Amino acid sequence: MILTITLNPSIDMNYHIDKLEINQVNRTGNPVMTAGGKGLNVTRVIHQNDEPVMATGFLGGMTGTYISQKLERQGIKHNFIKIRQNTRHCLALMHEGNQTEVLESGPEISMDESELFIENYKKFLDLCNVVVASGSIPAGPGTAFYQRLISLANKKGRKFILDTSGDALKEGIKAHPFLIKPNLHEIELLLRVKIESEEELINAVRRLAQKGPKNVVISLGDKGAIAILNNVLYRVRTTKIHVVSAVGSGDSMVAGLALGIARGYNAKKLLALGSCFGALNALESETGYIDVNRIQKFMDKTEVVSL
C-alpha cells in the first residue's frame, strides 16, 4: 500500500477566464472544484491505477467535511486527523494562457493534533511500503515536521518520497528521504544558485544528491526531467502536447514515481511512468486526473537515456 500525506489540504477552485481585467468585475462559469492539496492530487492518480492507497493529514470545518465526503464518493480510503480550525481554499485563475494562483495559508495545527497525527502515522507505517508527503506544512508542527516523518519511515524500512519546497524541503532532506522531486525554481532556492543551462542543472542535481536524498528527480514541465537514481544520471524527454491545464501535473508525476517504486519498476521505466503521468494530467481540465487508457501510448513516446 502507498500512504499519502497532505498536511495542508484545500478545496481547489479552478476558474477559466477569457481575459483577466484588474480592478474590474470578471465573470466566468462555475469553477472546477477538487478535493485538493498536492498529496490528494497524488492520491487520486494512484487510485485511478488500481493501486492500494490511503490518504492522511489534517482536516477541519466545513471545508474539511466537503473534502472527506468528496473522497468517499470517489472510493478513496482516507484517515485524517480532525482539527479545530478550518481547512483552506485555493484558487487557480486560468487566463490568456497564464495561470494565476491565490493560496490561503491554511489553519494552525495544535501540539495535541500534531502528536495524534504522529501516533496514527506510526500505525500506518506497518501497513505501507511507500510514503508520499506533498505540499506545505501548516503553522504549528514546524518546518522540521517532514524530517521527523522521514526518520520514522526510514526506521521501518519504508521508502519516503518528499515533494515540498522552502524550509520544509531544506529540513526534510537532512533525514535522507528515498526520493525528492523539486522543480527548477525550488532547486535554485535550495542551492542559492541561478541555473541557466542543462550543464548547470546537472551539476545542481549532483550537489543536491550529496545533501541527503538518495534519489532526485527535477521536473522541467514540457521539457521532461533530469534525474539521478542510484547514482546514475538520466535525461527524460516527453512528447509535445497541447496543454489544457498544468495544475497538478507535478503531483501526477509524483504519483507515477510512487506507483513505479511500489511495483518495483527499474529506473528507466519508473522515470517514463512519472513523466507520462505528468503529461497526461496536463491534457485534462480536472486537477490530479489522467486518462489511464492513454498511458501506454505516452510511455512509448517518452525517451529516457542515461548520461
Side-chain angles (χ1 to χ4, degrees):
M1 185 182 77
I2 298 173
L3 178 69
T4 66
I5 298 172
T6 314
L7 299 179
N8 205 8
S10 64
I11 295 178
D12 286 353
M13 295 182 287
N14 194 337
Y15 291 90
H16 286 265
I17 300 173
D18 291 336
K19 184 178 181 181
L20 182 63
E21 300 282 358
I22 305 299
N23 290 328
Q24 300 292 326
V25 174
N26 292 270
R27 300 189 186 280
T28 184
N30 293 328
V32 177
M33 296 181 65
T34 308
K38 292 172 68 62
L40 289 183
N41 295 338
V42 173
T43 307
R44 274 192 301 278
V45 176
I46 293 172
H47 178 70
Q48 276 188 275
N49 285 270
D50 297 323
E51 186 73 18
V53 61
M54 171 72 76
T56 188
F58 299 108
L59 287 177
M62 293 298 294
T63 46
T65 299
Y66 173 87
I67 290 172
S68 178
Q69 291 174 346
K70 189 85 169 179
L71 295 174
E72 287 169 7
R73 286 195 295 270
Q74 294 169 338
I76 295 174
K77 294 181 180 179
H78 59 92
N79 190 308
F80 282 80
I81 300 302
K82 291 185 178 180
I83 57 174
R84 299 177 184 89
Q85 295 189 12
N86 291 326
T87 295
R88 61 185 180 150
H89 295 81
C90 292
L91 309 181
L93 308 179
M94 315 303 294
H95 58 97
E96 305 143 299
N98 300 309
Q99 176 182 315
T100 301
E101 297 185 36
V102 181
L103 310 180
E104 295 180 11
S105 58
E108 182 171 352
I109 308 301
S110 67
M111 183 177 295
D112 61 308
E113 290 165 345
S114 295
E115 290 307 310
L116 182 56
F117 175 86
I118 291 293
E119 291 307 309
N120 269 20
Y121 173 68
K122 289 177 180 177
K123 296 175 184 177
F124 283 126
L125 285 177
D126 291 330
L127 304 175
C128 70
N129 56 349
V130 177
V131 182
V132 182
S134 305
S136 61
I137 301 174
T143 56
F145 196 66
Y146 281 143
Q147 183 184 130
R148 185 178 179 188
L149 300 184
I150 295 165
S151 295
L152 290 169
N154 288 345
K155 289 178 182 177
K156 289 281 189 176
R158 307 301 183 240
K159 294 177 178 177
F160 196 108
I161 300 173
L162 179 64
D163 183 20
T164 187
S165 59
D167 289 338
L169 178 59
K170 181 180 179 181
E171 294 299 320
I173 61 175
K174 295 177 182 177
H176 305 279
F178 181 78
L179 185 146
I180 63 171
K181 191 215 66 66
N183 58 31
L184 182 60
H185 178 62
E186 289 163 352
I187 195 174
E188 286 181 331
L189 290 177
L190 185 63
L191 298 178
R192 297 182 180 179
V193 297
K194 182 64 177 176
I195 298 171
E196 297 180 336
S197 68
E198 186 164 304
E199 182 180 358
E200 290 175 346
L201 178 57
I202 289 171
N203 290 333
V205 171
R206 286 178 169 145
R207 280 181 57 196
L208 186 53
Q210 295 172 354
K211 288 183 173 290
K214 298 178 176 67
N215 303 286
V216 179
V217 179
I218 309 295
S219 56
L220 302 173
D222 60 359
K223 295 180 181 178
I226 293 284
I228 186 164
L229 301 179
N230 297 320
N231 298 315
V232 179
L233 194 68
Y234 294 92
R235 182 67 170 91
V236 185
R237 291 183 174 85
T238 56
T239 185
K240 297 296 182 182
I241 61 171
H242 175 70
V243 174
V244 175
S245 172
V247 180
S249 286
D251 306 326
S252 297
M253 183 181 194
V254 171
L257 295 171
L259 191 67
I261 290 169
R263 294 179 177 178
Y265 289 175
N266 63 39
K268 289 188 176 182
K269 188 175 181 180
L270 173 70
L271 293 170
L273 189 68
S275 295
C276 165
F277 278 22
L280 286 172
N281 178 86
L283 294 173
E284 307 292 337
S285 59
E286 185 176 347
T287 305
Y289 177 85
I290 66 171
D291 183 348
V292 295
N293 296 314
R294 303 174 76 178
I295 291 174
Q296 191 57 55
K297 178 181 177 181
F298 272 68
M299 287 279 284
D300 293 341
K301 293 182 178 180
T302 302
E303 179 187 22
V304 183
V305 296
S306 55
L307 301 177

